Amino acid sequence: MADEIQTSDTSDEESSRRDFLYLATLAGGAGLGLAFMWPIIDSMNPAADVLALSSVEVDLSPIEEGQSITVRWRGKPVFIRRRTAEEIEQARAVSLADLPDPQADADRVQRPEWLIMVGVCTHLGCIPLGQKTGDPKGEFGGWFCPCHGSHYDTSGRIRKGPAPANLAVPQHTFLDDNIVRIG
Amino acid sequence: MATKTEFKNPVVRWVDDRLPVFTYLDHEYNQFPMPRNLNYWWNFGALASVVLILMILTGIMLAMQYTPHVDYAFESVERIMRDVNYGWLLRYLHMNGASMFFIVVYIHMFRGLYYGSYHAPRELLWMLGVVIVLLMMATAFMGYVLPWGQMSFWGATVITNLFSAIPWVGDVIVTWLWGGFSVDNPTLNRFYALHYLLPFVIFAVVALHVIAVHITGSNNPKGIDVQVPRDTVTFHPYFTAKDSVGLVAFLLFFSAVVFFAPNVFGEPDNYIKANPLQTPPHIVPEWYFLPFYAILRAVPDNFIGGWVTGWMGVTFVSAKLAGVIAMFGSIAVLFLLPWLDRSKVRSARYRPVHNAFFWVFLVDCFVLGWVGANPAEGMFIWIGRVATAWYFVHFLIIIPLVSMIETPRPVPASISEPVLKEKA
């Protein structure tokens, strides 16, 4: 149709110039398109109001020794347990060689009395039992996940079952003796 | 058309042998013959499809953050503006994108009116376009309700109340539209559902519109048929390049609005949360509805109502209903246009009388928009009535009459002829 125009006196040099322009235009367009995709994608990330709720402060004063409470943090349960001397002793006595995910109890707590961890099984995200007095606590006296039978000890470390890692310890700070901030 | 394109890439060839998408793209967007004399007014179809895709994309992202409930809708929109990452950008693109869509489509329509793109054999193409505009209006109206501001609420109330003008069953229909006894949560929910649905319907009708234009080929400024291959150039690179130039210019304009004057098309009252107990003192629709709003309000009391009442003994056509009929009629008349204009010559370039009336009509549309933006009182009542009357006179009397009595100027024998003559 317009062959005469399209191909008229196209020397090699001119065609390479045209190729360059063509590729540069294409690359520029693609770059702008990708740049525009970022706001689209980023809008699905947590919004400012969601991030603003990403830390909670918990009053620990009502919790007696041997009691546990569960608080919600970032939509997930956080287990807070005031451990007994016996439980602390048990957790410390374990040899690291016996652990699938070796970690000393001292590395998991800031104050030995208070064990704070995310109550989500590291296998497939179920919530382990063991917070309430009547709950099964597994073979190691800590927590037991009913979904696929993972056993956690009194430091929340995985001891038996399919879970690959210990219950995660969230970043937390003791603001004073009775208040802890999680997150 | 029927010939298959041979591709060098074996994967492309393998796919194309089984599903000829590449052949289709090659025929319709690469080799497709376009009249070689298209000017920049022919950019606006491509621009409209870019805006449609942008609206769907930003709309889906907004839908992920929006809550369609009377208690949360307004706050969720404010949350999008303040808390969601780039939420302000998505919303301003979507909000102003609606205005851009109408600007682009209105120009596209006036282009069609001027160059006679509705004439045979493009009647269906034109009518599909009118269907698209109608769908756009419904979508834009329902989208405007979603932020649940004062204008959202009262706009929804006024427009749904139009249907109460329908004789006998009007009130039943309005209650049905609302899903209650006023614009409320059920109304908001159904508007949200439909606002999400309709753009995909628009997309489908646009596909038909594009298929139709690829059957007949584009009209052109001379309004004459393509006769010899020399009258055309391939779509690529000639019109991909020309459309790109237009696209960049358009995006500059769009960006200027979004980044420097994002609320220029909006009403400040819509940043006040909907209050069903208090109507704002001056309700105006978005700018793209203003001419139609002016037509709606233009019909005087007892204009048709008076004589019909006397004639039938019952009030069959009230002033309210007459206004509604006039407003919908102003769109409906566009469907008839291919048969109202009986001229053998398409382009207004060769039709001096028709051309003059085209510009009068364009001014008339702006006057209607101006009247629609002002309260219906004083001189605006009369200007509105005259402009409304002219709107219908133009389509129903001027166009048919001029097309029958006007002597068009001679039309060139072919698209390429005047160019070749100049060269020689």
Side-chain angles (χ1 to χ4, degrees):
Chain A
M1 270 142 233
D3 288 346
E4 19 159 9
I5 293 170
Q6 242 176 332
T7 56
S8 62
D9 60 277
T10 354
S11 63
D12 277 350
E13 194 201 339
E14 204 172 307
S15 88
S16 76
R17 271 180 166 191
R18 180 168 292 176
D19 286 348
F20 173 77
L21 279 175
Y22 182 69
L23 286 173
T25 310
L26 213 64
L32 283 174
L34 285 175
F36 177 66
M37 282 316 287
W38 173 245
I40 302 266
I41 294 162
D42 193 36
S43 75
M44 289 173 74
N45 272 323
D49 62 325
V50 177
L51 294 175
L53 296 175
S54 61
S55 68
V56 289
E57 285 176 17
V58 185
D59 180 9
L60 300 174
S61 55
I63 308 170
E64 303 283 336
E65 190 176 300
Q67 264 188 343
S68 298
I69 62 157
T70 305
V71 296
R72 242 176 99 125
W73 173 67
R74 291 185 174 178
K76 287 183 283 199
V78 168
F79 293 169
I80 301 177
R81 181 163 178 83
R82 186 168 184 178
R83 297 193 292 184
T84 60
E86 194 188 328
E87 285 171 342
I88 299 171
E89 193 49 43
Q90 251 182 10
R92 285 178 174 170
V94 184
S95 148
L96 288 189
D98 295 344
L99 297 172
D101 181 12
Q103 198 181 19
D105 185 59
D107 295 336
R108 293 177 55 78
V109 291
Q110 289 176 19
R111 299 180 183 192
E113 200 182 11
W114 295 105
L115 176 64
I116 298 174
M117 54 193 188
V118 176
V120 174
C121 181
T122 55
H123 181 219
L124 291 170
C126 296
I127 299 171
L129 298 171
Q131 285 292 86
K132 290 183 197 134
T133 1
D135 279 354
K137 289 176 184 298
E139 291 173 21
F140 301 88
W143 288 265
F144 171 71
C145 183
C147 289
H148 305 93
S150 293
H151 299 254
Y152 296 91
D153 68 13
T154 56
S155 187
R157 291 171 299 197
I158 182 67
R159 298 300 290 274
K160 186 182 170 188
N166 303 331
L167 292 177
V169 176
Q171 196 181 44
H172 60 277
T173 321
F174 286 90
L175 300 179
D176 59 44
D177 279 351
N178 283 324
I179 309 271
V180 66
R181 188 175 66 208
I182 301 166
Chain B
M1 286 270 168
T3 52
K4 259 185 60 54
T5 319
E6 283 304 319
F7 295 97
K8 285 190 197 127
N9 186 318
V11 178
V12 170
R13 200 164 54 225
W14 187 90
V15 172
D16 202 68
D17 287 343
R18 284 149 185 84
L19 187 69
V21 279
F22 296 102
T23 297
Y24 171 80
L25 288 175
D26 185 53
H27 280 165
E28 304 300 318
Y29 293 101
N30 187 22
Q31 299 177 20
F32 193 74
M34 301 288 284
R36 71 191 311 155
N37 59 334
L38 297 190
N39 55 30
Y40 275 107
W41 298 114
W42 263 263
N43 275 11
F44 288 84
L47 293 182
S49 46
V50 170
V51 180
L52 174 61
I53 288 165
L54 189 75
M55 291 302 277
I56 290 178
L57 189 64
T58 52
I60 289 172
M61 302 319 289
L62 290 171
M64 292 181 190
Q65 311 285 353
Y66 170 78
T67 311
H69 187 285
V70 290
D71 292 340
Y72 305 109
F74 187 83
E75 282 79 1
S76 75
V77 173
E78 285 307 305
R79 180 180 167 273
I80 289 171
M81 293 303 290
R82 291 150 198 258
D83 288 346
V84 174
N85 302 324
Y86 294 102
W88 59 272
L89 179 61
L90 295 176
R91 174 159 174 270
Y92 279 156
L93 280 173
H94 197 76
M95 191 174 115
N96 290 296
S99 284
M100 294 301 140
F101 207 176
F102 278 99
I103 290 175
V104 165
V105 163
Y106 284 160
I107 293 176
H108 191 62
M109 290 170 78
F110 278 109
R111 192 284 321 269
L113 286 175
Y114 186 83
Y115 293 110
S117 301
Y118 48 83
H119 281 280
R122 297 186 183 83
E123 304 97 320
L124 259 184
L125 174 61
W126 171 261
M127 292 165 82
L128 284 167
V130 179
V131 171
I132 293 170
V133 181
L134 273 175
L135 287 168
M136 277 173 64
M137 288 174 165
T139 310
F141 162 66
M142 287 190 268
Y144 191 64
V145 175
L146 302 185
W148 210 244
Q150 274 289 66
M151 282 294 171
S152 299
F153 181 88
W154 292 101
T157 301
V158 169
I159 300 299
T160 48
N161 261 315
L162 292 181
F163 293 89
S164 69
I166 299 168
W168 301 303
V169 290
D171 290 334
V172 179
I173 286 178
V174 172
T175 306
W176 176 76
L177 285 174
W178 287 339
F181 303 99
S182 63
V183 174
D184 208 334
N185 203 46
T187 327
L188 178 60
N189 274 288
R190 62 191 59 183
F191 278 17
Y192 180 53
L194 293 172
H195 183 70
Y196 206 117
L197 167 71
L198 287 183
F200 297 97
V201 179
I202 293 177
F203 196 89
V205 184
V206 167
L208 294 176
H209 191 67
V210 170
I211 291 171
V213 78
H214 279 238
I215 297 292
T216 60
S218 292
N219 184 31
N220 64 80
K222 293 189 200 304
I224 54 179
D225 289 327
V226 166
Q227 283 146 357
V228 285
R230 219 178 16 216
D231 289 347
T232 65
V233 288
T234 52
F235 190 84
H236 181 75
Y238 295 98
F239 289 102
T240 43
K242 192 161 185 150
D243 282 344
S244 300
V245 173
L247 180 64
V248 169
F250 168 71
L251 289 179
L252 279 175
F253 172 62
F254 193 175
S255 304
V257 172
V258 166
F259 293 111
F260 297 101
N263 289 303
V264 69
F265 293 116
E267 281 298 320
D269 270 10
N270 219 30
Y271 285 107
I272 302 168
K273 192 177 174 176
N275 179 359
L277 301 179
Q278 193 187 20
T279 310
H282 180 41
I283 302 185
V284 276
E286 290 287 86
W287 69 266
Y288 38 80
F289 290 137
L290 289 176
F292 304 101
Y293 192 54
I295 292 175
L296 171 74
R297 297 186 304 182
V299 183
D301 282 336
N302 304 323
F303 170 60
I304 305 176
W307 54 263
V308 175
T309 309
W311 176 50
M312 291 185 66
V314 282
T315 306
F316 182 66
V317 184
S318 61
K320 183 156 89 169
L321 179 58
V324 174
I325 290 173
M327 186 177 70
F328 285 106
S330 65
I331 303 280
V333 75
L334 293 174
F335 282 108
L336 303 176
L337 181 59
W339 294 275
L340 291 172
D341 186 347
R342 304 171 64 158
S343 173
K344 292 278 177 283
V345 174
R346 294 190 190 110
S347 174
R349 276 192 185 178
Y350 306 102
R351 302 180 59 193
V353 183
H354 181 79
N355 189 330
F357 279 113
F358 168 86
W359 295 106
V360 174
F361 175 69
L362 184 67
V363 170
D364 188 54
C365 289
F366 277 102
V367 169
L368 282 170
W370 174 59
V371 169
N374 283 286
E377 55 197 32
M379 62 164 185
F380 289 111
I381 294 178
W382 282 103
I383 298 174
R385 285 176 188 172
V386 172
T388 298
W390 184 259
Y391 184 99
F392 289 99
V393 166
H394 178 81
F395 280 112
L396 298 174
I397 297 171
I398 302 284
I399 283 196
L401 207 63
V402 167
S403 68
M404 283 185 284
I405 60 177
E406 178 185 39
T407 314
R409 291 182 14 224
V411 176
S414 79
I415 291 172
S416 49
E417 184 217 51
V419 184
L420 294 175
K421 246 190 218 163
E422 259 172 47
K423 269 188 183 172

